Amino acid sequence: MKVLAFTGSMRARSINRRLLLVACGRLQERGADVTEIQLRDLKLPMFDEDMETALKAKGESMPEPVVKLQDLMLASDALLIASPEYNGSLSPALKNAIDWCSRRADDQGPLACYRGQVAGLMATSGGRLGGIRGLPEVRRILSGIGVHVIAHDFACPGAPVETTADWPDDTVRSGAHRVADALYDTTAALLAARG
Ligand SMILES: Cc1cc2nc3c(=O)[nH]c(=O)nc-3n(C[C@H](O)[C@H](O)[C@H](O)COP(=O)(O)O)c2cc1C
């Protein structure tokens, strides 16, 4: 089972990445092949339909960072996403990545990156709600483009956003592990059913 893991954060010291890595560790313990990437390294351009049209007119493919992300998604069975909450919703970086990957990947047509994909969602923030308002938004968007988003998600309040304090504690770890386990079990069942 191949899992692609990323956050919607562009911050070098992303707290969501710290949470993500806990769940990545659990998936690896279960035997998943996990690829963790940071959107800040990819440097995706802001989605621009004119850019896409101009490239197509010249017979060129998508921008190189987009192709890279699409290839990683096409090679994955499942996505693990930790989404920062911005103003009660998902971050622009995450929406941008989702939008780029909803477009045609080579000759595979639109939404190929999401076909058959399973997703597990998490969020954290320093605030009292821990990003819980953004998660239904991510769920709605991904479900609408064909992703099977697992029922278990996890939002973790009160994260030490500005410090390198020892975090997370056991309670947070168990929340991240629950998402990882549910993602692993659901993806394994679907892969087995497909044969
Ligand atoms: C534009 C903006 C809007 C934000 N809105 C929220 C919010 O609605 N809820 C919340 O809990 N935190 C909010 N935050 C704080 C983020 O949770 C915080 O920056 C967090 O560190 C982001 O996660 P990261 O460290 O993984 O990047 C906001 C931050 C920014 C920059």
Side-chain angles (χ1 to χ4, degrees):
M1 174 191 312
K2 291 193 169 195
V3 181
L4 180 64
F6 55 95
T7 75
S9 175
M10 299 292 279
R11 273 188 358 118
R13 289 171 56 187
S14 165
I15 198 77
N16 280 278
R17 180 163 186 251
R18 285 167 74 182
L19 181 63
L20 183 86
L21 292 176
V22 175
C24 286
R26 176 63 154 208
L27 283 164
Q28 281 163 335
E29 275 170 28
R30 296 284 309 267
D33 176 0
V34 180
T35 302
E36 191 258 333
I37 57 163
Q38 295 187 64
L39 295 182
R40 65 196 303 274
D41 293 336
L42 271 181
K43 303 198 191 319
L44 295 171
M46 178 62 73
F47 182 78
D48 174 351
E49 220 173 326
D50 284 346
M51 180 194 293
E52 192 188 33
T53 306
L55 286 169
K56 211 179 286 176
K58 287 193 281 181
E60 292 176 13
S61 71
M62 293 283 191
E64 187 256 325
V66 175
V67 173
K68 198 168 170 189
L69 183 57
Q70 288 183 331
D71 284 348
L72 286 166
M73 283 211 185
L74 289 167
S76 303
D77 304 303
L79 305 174
L80 175 67
I81 300 174
S83 173
E85 179 178 282
Y86 278 9
N87 299 316
S89 187
L90 69 167
S91 68
L94 179 55
K95 183 64 164 58
N96 190 47
I98 293 171
D99 286 344
W100 270 119
C101 289
S102 71
R103 309 300 284 172
R104 182 174 295 272
D106 293 334
D107 57 353
Q108 305 207 39
L111 300 183
C113 291
Y114 299 107
R115 214 170 291 138
Q117 201 83 253
V118 186
L121 306 180
M122 299 185 299
T124 187
S125 84
R128 278 184 300 118
L129 299 177
I132 202 167
R133 293 176 303 171
L135 290 182
E137 301 271 309
V138 184
R139 176 179 295 279
R140 183 180 59 77
I141 293 164
L142 291 178
S143 300
I145 53 179
V147 177
H148 179 93
V149 184
I150 59 167
H152 293 74
D153 55 28
F154 178 56
C156 172
V161 168
E162 296 301 339
T163 73
T164 52
D166 190 20
W167 187 88
D169 59 19
D170 286 348
T171 312
V172 178
R173 282 186 172 276
S174 75
H177 287 180
R178 269 204 310 279
V179 172
D181 284 341
L183 182 63
Y184 185 92
D185 292 341
T186 305
T187 308
L190 286 171
L191 289 174
R194 282 181 206 140

